[in-house]
Amino acid sequence: MRAAIIGGTGYGSIELIRLIHQHPYLEVGTVVSNSQAGNNFSDSYPHLSEVIEQPLEKFDAESIAKNNEVVFLATPSGVSSNLVPQLMETGIKCIDLSGDFRLRSAEQYETWYKKRPASHEYIKQAVYGLSEIYPEKVKTASLLSNPGCYPTAATLGLLPILKTNLADKESIIIDAKSGVTGAGRGLSLTSHYAEINENIKAYKLGAHQHIPEIEQVLSDESGSPITVTFMTHLAPMNRGIMCTMYLKLNQKIPTKEVVELYNEFYKNKPFVRIRPVGVVPSTKEVQGSNYCDIGLHADERTNRLTVVSVIDNLVKGAAGQAIQNANLMFGWDEQSGLNQLPIYP
Amino acid sequence: MRAAIIGGTGYGSIELIRLIHQHPYLEVGTVVSNSQAGNNFSDSYPHLSEVIEQPLEKFDAESIAKNNEVVFLATPSGVSSNLVPQLMETGIKCIDLSGDFRLRSAEQYETWYKKRPASHEYIKQAVYGLSEIYPEKVKTASLLSNPGCYPTAATLGLLPILKTNLADKESIIIDAKSGVTGAGRGLSLTSHYAEINENIKAYKLGAHQHIPEIEQVLSDESGSPITVTFMTHLAPMNRGIMCTMYLKLNQKIPTKEVVELYNEFYKNKPFVRIRPVGVVPSTKEVQGSNYCDIGLHADERTNRLTVVSVIDNLVKGAAGQAIQNANLMFGWDEQSGLNQLPIYP
Amino acid sequence: MRAAIIGGTGYGSIELIRLIHQHPYLEVGTVVSNSQAGNNFSDSYPHLSEVIEQPLEKFDAESIAKNNEVVFLATPSGVSSNLVPQLMETGIKCIDLSGDFRLRSAEQYETWYKKRPASHEYIKQAVYGLSEIYPEKVKTASLLSNPGCYPTAATLGLLPILKTNLADKESIIIDAKSGVTGAGRGLSLTSHYAEINENIKAYKLGAHQHIPEIEQVLSDESGSPITVTFMTHLAPMNRGIMCTMYLKLNQKIPTKEVVELYNEFYKNKPFVRIRPVGVVPSTKEVQGSNYCDIGLHADERTNRLTVVSVIDNLVKGAAGQAIQNANLMFGWDEQSGLNQLPIYP
Amino acid sequence: MRAAIIGGTGYGSIELIRLIHQHPYLEVGTVVSNSQAGNNFSDSYPHLSEVIEQPLEKFDAESIAKNNEVVFLATPSGVSSNLVPQLMETGIKCIDLSGDFRLRSAEQYETWYKKRPASHEYIKQAVYGLSEIYPEKVKTASLLSNPGCYPTAATLGLLPILKTNLADKESIIIDAKSGVTGAGRGLSLTSHYAEINENIKAYKLGAHQHIPEIEQVLSDESGSPITVTFMTHLAPMNRGIMCTMYLKLNQKIPTKEVVELYNEFYKNKPFVRIRPVGVVPSTKEVQGSNYCDIGLHADERTNRLTVVSVIDNLVKGAAGQAIQNANLMFGWDEQSGLNQLPIYP
């Protein structure tokens, strides 16, 4: 099955190509990059030389639909809201990696993204593809909205405890650290090597566009409106997100029981791994893979629970989860093309 | 004035030597390293070639006292508790960079450090050298206990707000990130290049020995017993600590007022700089310098205050603050030898 | 087919496991680590949690032979010279990733490795597995000696030009840069994070044990004894080797013709890619993959040829080439299990 | 004495400010940045908050001359060729850190820089400020042309041997590695964090504009025209240049004698340090300092000499050497303001 990729020269596309190249049922189809149309792909990305040698194309919904069976959109926010309707009209299934179809509320989208929202009709149709939580809905989706990188790490780490009454739902603090690929390949001083290397930087104080997405999922699933404190940091590395999350516990509970709770919650979910008591994962332990690894510590002294959740932002936080969703949508094994071990070290 | 340095081949000593070399009133005296005694200093540290060419010596309290006017101890925990009494008997002033004299409670020391505590007599004598907060006590100290790196960043960031009634003192969460030099030059898998590079790692879940030190300062200064949630992370860089700290606010207050409060609190403190509204510091902005830079964000949506406090762990978090304390103890200008600008980038 | 791995907790083994896990015909069999026997594998390497959960075993040739069809030895030099004879006696095929069977001359081995050489009988039997150059010999090997990381990058980059008369064979200079994983997981100050980060370090001046290996291959293939100047540098990164190599040209020749020569030389070799005129590869362009990418520049002003050859030291420089050799030895497609694209960025 | 700085928001300027701030006789005067004129300096560089708080100004030769006693130009190539004449007319001394006045041949400048050369009159006046080699000329300079970063490391490493007949002057190969700050603060894909991190990249094959500068100095000093092979690499770090240089020896000579030769050559030069036999410097050993450290290895097997020369590209390779030259020009101690030890690690 041929997969078109739109937004062809960003890191999200490159990662999609890496994963599709190893997928048993998918192959790279049309690659669209309006800015670089006509150029050969491996001119921008010589690491693909002799493997993915094809010209980048201009966007053309008809032609995409004719030559491909599925479309991945890995475009900046504000782009796929325009492209998806044209594609959907042709009947092709769309998997959108941007934020354009994640928020049910158009007002929220405008507030946080400062862009015009997608049309109501398509927002309504879009299925939010947090694969471990909504597998049944994903299976029937025509328009799949792939979760953000931070929301994936945060919600997978928080949902098991929030679905109980063990924690104070008003106490959630998420301290997130990300590698620099999260900011994409676009040039800016905050991605400039000399500024980021040997540095930790907090950014977007209380204003990150992933906040409403996290709150939407947590509120939906916990059954009550949830507000979180969410702070993002840039760390001097390429890949990886760690969310260190803090919740007040309503009662004393040993770490061991929390670990069991999480293991139970994710027992048939191959991509979520819970560490044993006393161990928390580091970002390198999921590098290049689709895993979300979670460690837990219930502190007796402070009666707070710390949850450490890590993903590779380009895999489980973007392209990997998109493939996982495609697998569900097309009825394939959820792990098809995603069984690579983390690359270590 | 000649300054002896004990623990001569650790990173703390090296940083002391860098700073003393530029100090108008201090010069490097005896350098003690029991493990490398007899070797020439620049064999271990060729960056000092032709500048600090002297043999490393064995510890000998008498000889140190005869040839130096002040002693800096930059030894691992559990060492200076033995050496300080011998040195103090000679009458020489001691500045201890380890944790051995920081906690007033010997029980706490044993619990958190898993070592035998220093003798009560010397613990009582020791002055805790958080320079901006206790300058008067520091001036009269004979035994100065230099604060830990994390406690320096955390307490300087928290004290201004905790001295008011604006924040809920039970809500404090400190998410700390540190460069790898904090772990010293000793070999271990957690300082092994390939394991740390391209990685973020949480460590010492609820068990870091700096917790009781932070709580001691905060409790002393706020007037009520304070318990904090404190989580440490290793980031892939050499220098720098960032503490991102979260507190619940008791009332709505704009960031602007919090910034003013902090500016007022530190108005005559040259080494603490408060960023304006909307700006938080990154660790690189203090690299190689004795500054502690602080940024603030009072979030209207969540009514939580986020404080971002950064230091260079080897300077304000160790050797720099030790020199600052020496300046106070000997009646020199507080900034003597410490006026280097951050090295950027 | 089950593959045993000896030296189970080094980076070479970990990379073998990553690649074998994706191999269509191989699976991970016995994993031997004498130092950690009895421990569960994922305790040392949590990134393998829930995937490779098996105890590490002590070395036992009989048991290995009974339960596996091939053995990979990823042990430090001086170890497999002892183990291989025991394994070979059982009739199992051995692929040795260490330097113990690479040099035909036992004297040379002793001189450069400062260890006792393997027995003559097995040295004679060993086939040197530079896959692109000796595929026919590899196919018949029972004892395969896998090339060193530097020799792989250097010889693949030099052989096409040395097989002509275009270059002065006495003029070869190889300036090599390597990531830190090449030094393994063993602790040492030269792998200590704070010492290597933000640093470039030259090491082993004229004394690297890969020198005789490079000279052996180049002399064999060029038909005359060749001596090279070979200098190694450690760069602050995990993976990757770049060899920048300089040769005096015997005649004027445009870069274009050299590129054609190289393309012709490697025309049926899927893992060697030659960059077009004006372009040289960077190490990241082969990261995580089995490629050796080569760029060329014939300088008109100086009449020197510069060859830039890059590999991932853990893949084409170790585990990947070992798998490639296994593929040849067992009659499988040379690319089996090795078709992953480079992980970028 | 007030020092004006032109090109105020580049890394060269920032480093000048760091060094001038510690200089006993210089202070920061006018800072010119046409692109950011009117902005406060610390808005671009918060690490200077509360220390260098002044508006950036537009270029105005008259006003600069009135308010300052010396001018440092840290502008991209092609800019100071226009500004210097206006400044020189006012009688103020100029120290130019760009390449505009380094090459005596205007044709060479045009060929390598692809820009219009400075006027002949000023090129003739300019003194090339390789401080250790031309101290007497520097002392009398009105227009000082500060050497490039690579040429400083390369020529200081090569001149002692080239002034003898021990080496073949046609055999020089310079393999240079640089940190990323050498490329400045301007945005480009080759300074993008994710592209450079975990990567080594060769660039400007045979076309680097520092080649004619190196050849000019070597030819002048050795007394015969010299052509070099010079290859540049970008390494994933901020600061530091290492030149690994290879020469054929005309006769057997032990490393010890070469070390003595170099020690003799630089005996009264405080900023050049020669390592003993068997030791070569790493870039970190000069980080943040004005040192040029050199290691030597005469290889008996190949009869080639390897010279390893390291500097901090922003200090001895730019701002530090500029200050050193100012010290000589104004009759101060050569080390004034430059006695900082390297910052390690």
Side-chain angles (χ1 to χ4, degrees):
Chain A
M1 186 180 288
R2 283 169 56 88
I5 297 172
I6 302 181
T9 54
Y11 292 145
S13 297
I14 292 308
E15 196 68 359
L16 279 167
I17 285 169
R18 183 173 76 91
L19 297 173
I20 289 171
H21 185 70
Q22 290 191 251
H23 199 283
Y25 313 121
L26 284 174
E27 62 172 321
V28 175
T30 307
V31 185
V32 171
S33 166
N34 279 337
S35 65
Q36 309 231 9
N39 292 352
N40 189 36
F41 202 169
S42 69
D43 293 347
S44 296
Y45 284 108
H47 76 283
L48 299 177
S49 298
E50 301 183 15
V51 187
I52 311 288
E53 295 286 2
Q54 63 182 74
L56 292 157
E57 303 185 19
K58 279 214 170 302
F59 178 79
D60 175 342
E62 297 277 319
S63 148
I64 289 170
K66 200 183 312 172
N67 297 302
N68 303 272
E69 280 83 49
V70 61
V71 185
F72 292 90
L73 296 105
T75 45
S77 57
V79 175
S80 58
S81 55
N82 287 315
L83 305 185
V84 158
Q86 302 173 52
L87 290 163
M88 293 291 285
E89 242 169 65
T90 70
I92 197 167
K93 293 199 176 194
C94 290
I95 298 177
D96 179 33
L97 282 76
S98 85
D100 283 9
F101 297 91
R102 294 186 197 143
L103 301 180
R104 282 194 303 272
S105 154
E107 290 72 34
Q108 287 268 46
Y109 181 86
E110 272 195 277
T111 303
W112 292 90
Y113 283 83
K114 322 275 185 215
K115 305 229 157 136
R116 287 192 46 188
S119 84
H120 184 60
E121 174 192 358
Y122 288 101
I123 292 181
K124 241 176 63 187
Q125 237 182 95
V127 170
Y128 184 75
L130 189 61
S131 326
E132 278 73 18
I133 308 302
Y134 305 112
E136 295 311 317
K137 285 189 197 156
V138 169
K139 282 173 189 166
T140 66
S142 297
L143 169 52
L144 191 291
S145 176
N146 208 54
C149 50
Y150 288 122
T152 296
T155 59
L156 290 179
L158 289 170
L159 284 173
I161 192 77
L162 287 181
K163 291 219 151 196
T164 71
N165 287 319
L166 292 166
D168 174 357
K169 296 184 171 70
E170 296 186 0
S171 71
I172 304 170
I173 286 170
I174 305 170
D175 188 284
K177 300 96 180 160
S178 175
V180 184
T181 52
R185 211 189 198 196
L187 302 180
S188 91
L189 206 51
T190 55
S191 300
H192 195 61
Y193 185 86
E195 302 282 325
I196 294 306
N197 180 38
E198 287 294 289
N199 202 4
I200 296 228
K201 222 180 156 70
Y203 69 103
K204 288 201 185 173
L205 313 169
H208 199 289
Q209 71 277 11
H210 285 170
I211 292 175
E213 183 181 342
I214 294 169
E215 293 180 347
Q216 178 177 286
V217 175
L218 298 185
S219 300
D220 284 359
E221 291 302 301
S222 73
S224 54
I226 283 189
T227 303
V228 300
T229 289
F230 176 68
M231 185 78 171
T232 45
H233 302 78
L234 217 48
M237 59 187 196
N238 273 12
R239 286 166 180 255
I241 280 178
M242 175 180 282
C243 288
T244 313
M245 302 182 279
Y246 305 93
L247 302 101
K248 219 171 165 39
L249 289 167
N250 290 328
Q251 56 178 89
K252 292 258 171 209
I253 176 170
T255 302
K256 190 168 169 296
E257 287 182 27
V258 186
V259 167
E260 280 162 13
L261 173 78
Y262 273 66
N263 269 320
E264 181 62 24
F265 191 92
Y266 288 119
K267 78 178 154 192
N268 294 314
K269 305 298 178 184
F271 292 121
V272 181
R273 303 185 296 190
I274 310 303
R275 290 285 183 282
V277 176
V279 181
V280 289
S282 69
T283 57
K284 189 185 281 299
E285 294 167 17
V286 297
Q287 182 176 254
S289 80
N290 199 47
Y291 290 111
C292 173
D293 285 4
I294 297 172
L296 299 149
H297 172 68
D299 195 69
E300 292 190 16
R301 239 176 46 90
T302 58
N303 208 26
R304 280 215 187 81
L305 176 69
T306 304
V307 182
V308 175
S309 173
V310 299
I311 59 169
D312 182 322
N313 56 304
L314 291 178
V315 191
K316 184 62 179 169
Q321 188 157 239
I323 301 289
Q324 187 180 357
N325 283 322
N327 289 339
L328 292 169
M329 288 162 73
F330 293 103
W332 303 323
D333 183 298
E334 191 177 358
Q335 301 183 63
S336 301
L338 296 172
N339 67 334
Q340 303 95 328
L341 291 180
I343 185 162
Y344 194 96
Chain B
M1 186 180 288
R2 281 168 58 86
I5 297 171
I6 303 180
T9 54
Y11 292 145
S13 297
I14 291 309
E15 195 68 358
L16 279 166
I17 285 169
R18 182 173 77 91
L19 297 173
I20 290 172
H21 185 69
Q22 290 191 252
H23 198 283
Y25 313 121
L26 285 173
E27 63 172 321
V28 176
T30 307
V31 185
V32 170
S33 165
N34 279 337
S35 66
Q36 309 232 8
N39 291 352
N40 189 36
F41 203 169
S42 68
D43 293 348
S44 294
Y45 283 107
H47 75 284
L48 299 176
S49 298
E50 300 182 17
V51 187
I52 311 289
E53 294 286 2
Q54 64 182 76
L56 291 157
E57 302 185 19
K58 279 215 169 301
F59 179 79
D60 176 342
E62 295 279 319
S63 149
I64 288 169
K66 200 182 314 170
N67 296 303
N68 303 272
E69 280 84 46
V70 60
V71 185
F72 292 91
L73 296 105
T75 45
S77 57
V79 175
S80 59
S81 55
N82 288 315
L83 305 186
V84 158
Q86 303 173 51
L87 290 163
M88 293 291 286
E89 243 170 64
T90 70
I92 197 168
K93 294 200 177 194
C94 291
I95 298 177
D96 179 33
L97 282 75
S98 86
D100 282 9
F101 297 93
R102 292 185 199 144
L103 301 181
R104 283 196 302 273
S105 155
E107 291 72 32
Q108 288 267 47
Y109 182 87
E110 272 195 277
T111 302
W112 292 89
Y113 283 83
K114 321 276 185 216
K115 304 230 157 131
R116 287 193 44 190
S119 84
H120 184 60
E121 174 192 356
Y122 289 100
I123 291 180
K124 243 178 58 187
Q125 239 183 93
V127 170
Y128 185 75
L130 190 61
S131 326
E132 278 73 18
I133 308 300
Y134 305 112
E136 295 312 317
K137 287 189 198 158
V138 170
K139 282 173 189 165
T140 65
S142 297
L143 169 52
L144 189 293
S145 176
N146 209 55
C149 50
Y150 287 122
T152 297
T155 60
L156 290 178
L158 289 171
L159 284 174
I161 191 76
L162 288 182
K163 291 222 154 196
T164 71
N165 287 320
L166 293 166
D168 173 357
K169 295 183 171 72
E170 296 185 0
S171 70
I172 304 170
I173 286 171
I174 304 170
D175 188 285
K177 299 97 180 158
S178 175
V180 184
T181 52
R185 213 189 197 196
L187 301 180
S188 91
L189 205 51
T190 55
S191 301
H192 194 61
Y193 185 87
E195 301 282 324
I196 295 307
N197 180 39
E198 287 293 290
N199 202 4
I200 296 228
K201 221 179 157 72
Y203 70 102
K204 288 200 185 173
L205 313 170
H208 200 288
Q209 71 277 10
H210 285 169
I211 292 175
E213 183 181 341
I214 293 168
E215 293 180 347
Q216 178 177 284
V217 175
L218 298 185
S219 300
D220 283 0
E221 292 301 301
S222 73
S224 55
I226 283 189
T227 303
V228 300
T229 288
F230 176 68
M231 185 78 170
T232 45
H233 303 77
L234 216 49
M237 59 185 196
N238 272 13
R239 287 166 179 253
I241 279 179
M242 175 180 283
C243 287
T244 312
M245 301 182 280
Y246 305 92
L247 302 101
K248 220 172 163 39
L249 289 168
N250 291 327
Q251 56 178 90
K252 292 258 172 209
I253 176 170
T255 302
K256 189 166 168 296
E257 287 181 27
V258 187
V259 167
E260 278 160 15
L261 174 78
Y262 273 66
N263 269 320
E264 180 62 24
F265 191 93
Y266 287 119
K267 79 178 152 193
N268 295 314
K269 304 299 177 183
F271 291 121
V272 180
R273 303 186 296 192
I274 310 303
R275 289 285 183 284
V277 176
V279 182
V280 290
S282 69
T283 57
K284 189 184 281 297
E285 293 167 19
V286 298
Q287 183 176 251
S289 80
N290 199 48
Y291 290 110
C292 174
D293 286 4
I294 297 171
L296 298 149
H297 172 67
D299 195 69
E300 292 190 17
R301 237 174 47 89
T302 59
N303 209 25
R304 282 214 186 80
L305 176 68
T306 303
V307 183
V308 175
S309 172
V310 299
I311 59 169
D312 182 322
N313 56 304
L314 291 178
V315 191
K316 185 62 178 168
Q321 188 157 238
I323 300 288
Q324 187 182 357
N325 283 323
N327 288 339
L328 292 169
M329 287 163 74
F330 293 104
W332 303 322
D333 182 298
E334 190 177 359
Q335 301 182 63
S336 302
L338 296 172
N339 67 335
Q340 303 96 329
L341 291 180
I343 185 164
Y344 194 97
Chain C
M1 185 180 289
R2 281 170 57 89
I5 297 172
I6 302 180
T9 55
Y11 292 145
S13 297
I14 291 310
E15 196 69 358
L16 279 167
I17 285 168
R18 182 173 76 91
L19 296 173
I20 290 172
H21 186 69
Q22 290 190 252
H23 198 283
Y25 313 121
L26 286 173
E27 64 171 321
V28 176
T30 307
V31 185
V32 171
S33 165
N34 280 336
S35 65
Q36 308 231 10
N39 292 352
N40 189 35
F41 202 170
S42 69
D43 292 347
S44 295
Y45 284 106
H47 75 284
L48 299 177
S49 298
E50 300 184 16
V51 187
I52 311 288
E53 294 286 3
Q54 63 182 75
L56 291 156
E57 302 185 19
K58 277 214 171 303
F59 179 80
D60 176 340
E62 296 279 317
S63 148
I64 289 169
K66 200 181 313 169
N67 297 302
N68 304 272
E69 280 84 46
V70 61
V71 185
F72 293 90
L73 295 106
T75 46
S77 58
V79 175
S80 59
S81 55
N82 287 315
L83 305 185
V84 158
Q86 302 173 52
L87 289 163
M88 293 290 287
E89 242 170 65
T90 70
I92 198 167
K93 293 199 176 194
C94 290
I95 297 176
D96 179 33
L97 283 75
S98 86
D100 283 9
F101 296 93
R102 293 185 199 145
L103 300 181
R104 282 195 303 272
S105 155
E107 291 71 34
Q108 288 268 47
Y109 182 87
E110 271 195 278
T111 303
W112 292 90
Y113 283 84
K114 321 276 185 217
K115 304 229 157 134
R116 287 195 44 191
S119 84
H120 184 60
E121 174 191 356
Y122 288 101
I123 291 181
K124 242 177 60 186
Q125 237 181 98
V127 171
Y128 184 75
L130 189 61
S131 326
E132 278 74 18
I133 308 301
Y134 305 113
E136 296 310 317
K137 286 189 197 159
V138 170
K139 283 173 188 165
T140 66
S142 297
L143 169 52
L144 191 291
S145 176
N146 208 53
C149 50
Y150 288 122
T152 297
T155 60
L156 290 179
L158 289 171
L159 285 173
I161 191 77
L162 287 181
K163 290 221 154 196
T164 72
N165 288 320
L166 293 166
D168 174 357
K169 296 183 171 71
E170 296 186 359
S171 70
I172 305 170
I173 287 170
I174 305 170
D175 189 284
K177 301 95 180 161
S178 175
V180 185
T181 52
R185 211 188 199 197
L187 301 180
S188 91
L189 204 52
T190 54
S191 300
H192 194 63
Y193 185 86
E195 301 282 324
I196 295 306
N197 180 39
E198 287 294 290
N199 202 3
I200 295 229
K201 222 181 156 70
Y203 70 103
K204 288 201 185 173
L205 312 170
H208 199 289
Q209 72 277 8
H210 285 170
I211 291 175
E213 183 181 342
I214 294 169
E215 293 180 348
Q216 177 176 287
V217 175
L218 298 185
S219 300
D220 284 0
E221 291 302 301
S222 74
S224 54
I226 284 189
T227 302
V228 300
T229 289
F230 176 69
M231 186 78 171
T232 44
H233 303 77
L234 215 50
M237 59 186 196
N238 272 12
R239 288 167 179 251
I241 280 180
M242 176 180 282
C243 287
T244 313
M245 302 182 279
Y246 306 91
L247 302 100
K248 218 171 166 40
L249 289 168
N250 290 329
Q251 56 179 91
K252 293 258 171 209
I253 176 170
T255 302
K256 189 166 167 297
E257 287 181 27
V258 186
V259 167
E260 279 161 14
L261 174 77
Y262 273 66
N263 269 321
E264 180 62 24
F265 191 92
Y266 288 118
K267 79 178 153 192
N268 295 312
K269 305 297 177 182
F271 292 121
V272 180
R273 302 186 296 190
I274 310 303
R275 289 285 184 283
V277 176
V279 181
V280 290
S282 69
T283 58
K284 189 184 282 299
E285 293 168 18
V286 298
Q287 183 175 252
S289 81
N290 199 49
Y291 289 111
C292 174
D293 285 3
I294 297 172
L296 298 150
H297 172 68
D299 195 68
E300 292 190 18
R301 237 176 45 91
T302 58
N303 209 24
R304 282 214 186 80
L305 176 68
T306 303
V307 183
V308 175
S309 172
V310 300
I311 59 169
D312 182 322
N313 56 305
L314 290 178
V315 191
K316 184 63 179 169
Q321 188 157 239
I323 300 289
Q324 186 181 357
N325 284 321
N327 289 340
L328 292 169
M329 288 163 74
F330 292 104
W332 304 323
D333 183 297
E334 191 176 358
Q335 302 183 64
S336 301
L338 296 172
N339 67 335
Q340 304 95 329
L341 291 179
I343 186 164
Y344 194 97
Chain D
M1 186 180 290
R2 283 168 56 88
I5 297 171
I6 302 181
T9 54
Y11 292 145
S13 298
I14 291 309
E15 196 68 358
L16 279 166
I17 285 168
R18 183 174 76 91
L19 296 173
I20 289 171
H21 186 69
Q22 289 190 251
H23 199 283
Y25 313 121
L26 284 174
E27 62 172 323
V28 176
T30 307
V31 185
V32 170
S33 165
N34 280 337
S35 65
Q36 309 233 8
N39 291 352
N40 189 34
F41 202 170
S42 69
D43 293 347
S44 294
Y45 283 108
H47 75 283
L48 299 176
S49 298
E50 300 184 16
V51 187
I52 312 289
E53 293 286 2
Q54 64 182 74
L56 291 158
E57 302 185 18
K58 278 214 171 302
F59 179 79
D60 175 342
E62 297 278 318
S63 148
I64 289 169
K66 201 181 311 170
N67 297 302
N68 303 273
E69 280 84 48
V70 59
V71 185
F72 292 91
L73 296 106
T75 45
S77 57
V79 175
S80 59
S81 54
N82 287 315
L83 304 185
V84 158
Q86 303 172 52
L87 290 162
M88 293 291 286
E89 241 169 68
T90 71
I92 197 168
K93 294 200 176 194
C94 291
I95 298 178
D96 179 33
L97 283 76
S98 86
D100 282 9
F101 296 92
R102 293 185 198 143
L103 300 181
R104 282 196 302 272
S105 154
E107 290 72 33
Q108 288 267 47
Y109 182 86
E110 272 194 277
T111 302
W112 293 89
Y113 283 83
K114 320 276 183 219
K115 305 228 157 136
R116 286 193 46 189
S119 83
H120 185 59
E121 174 192 358
Y122 288 101
I123 292 181
K124 242 177 60 188
Q125 237 182 96
V127 170
Y128 185 75
L130 189 61
S131 326
E132 278 72 18
I133 307 302
Y134 305 113
E136 296 312 317
K137 286 189 197 157
V138 169
K139 282 173 189 164
T140 65
S142 297
L143 169 53
L144 191 291
S145 176
N146 208 55
C149 50
Y150 287 122
T152 297
T155 60
L156 290 179
L158 289 171
L159 284 174
I161 192 76
L162 287 182
K163 291 221 154 195
T164 71
N165 288 318
L166 293 165
D168 174 357
K169 295 182 171 72
E170 296 186 359
S171 70
I172 304 170
I173 287 170
I174 305 170
D175 188 285
K177 299 96 180 159
S178 174
V180 185
T181 53
R185 212 188 198 196
L187 302 180
S188 90
L189 204 53
T190 55
S191 299
H192 192 63
Y193 185 86
E195 301 283 323
I196 295 307
N197 179 40
E198 288 294 290
N199 202 3
I200 296 228
K201 223 180 154 70
Y203 69 103
K204 287 200 186 173
L205 312 170
H208 199 289
Q209 70 277 12
H210 285 170
I211 290 175
E213 183 181 343
I214 293 170
E215 292 180 347
Q216 178 177 285
V217 175
L218 298 185
S219 300
D220 284 359
E221 290 303 300
S222 73
S224 54
I226 284 189
T227 303
V228 299
T229 290
F230 176 68
M231 185 78 172
T232 44
H233 303 78
L234 216 50
M237 59 186 198
N238 272 12
R239 286 167 181 254
I241 280 178
M242 174 179 284
C243 287
T244 312
M245 300 181 280
Y246 306 91
L247 303 101
K248 220 170 165 40
L249 288 167
N250 291 329
Q251 56 178 91
K252 292 258 170 208
I253 177 170
T255 302
K256 190 167 168 294
E257 288 181 27
V258 186
V259 167
E260 280 161 14
L261 174 77
Y262 272 67
N263 269 320
E264 180 62 23
F265 191 93
Y266 288 119
K267 80 178 153 192
N268 295 314
K269 305 298 178 184
F271 292 120
V272 181
R273 303 186 296 190
I274 310 303
R275 289 284 184 283
V277 176
V279 182
V280 289
S282 69
T283 57
K284 188 184 281 299
E285 293 167 18
V286 298
Q287 183 176 252
S289 80
N290 199 48
Y291 289 112
C292 174
D293 285 5
I294 298 171
L296 298 149
H297 171 68
D299 194 68
E300 292 190 17
R301 237 175 48 88
T302 58
N303 209 25
R304 283 217 185 79
L305 176 68
T306 304
V307 183
V308 175
S309 173
V310 300
I311 59 170
D312 182 322
N313 56 305
L314 292 178
V315 191
K316 184 62 178 169
Q321 188 157 241
I323 300 288
Q324 187 181 354
N325 283 323
N327 289 340
L328 292 169
M329 286 163 74
F330 292 104
W332 304 323
D333 183 299
E334 190 177 358
Q335 301 183 64
S336 302
L338 296 172
N339 68 335
Q340 303 96 328
L341 291 179
I343 185 163
Y344 194 97

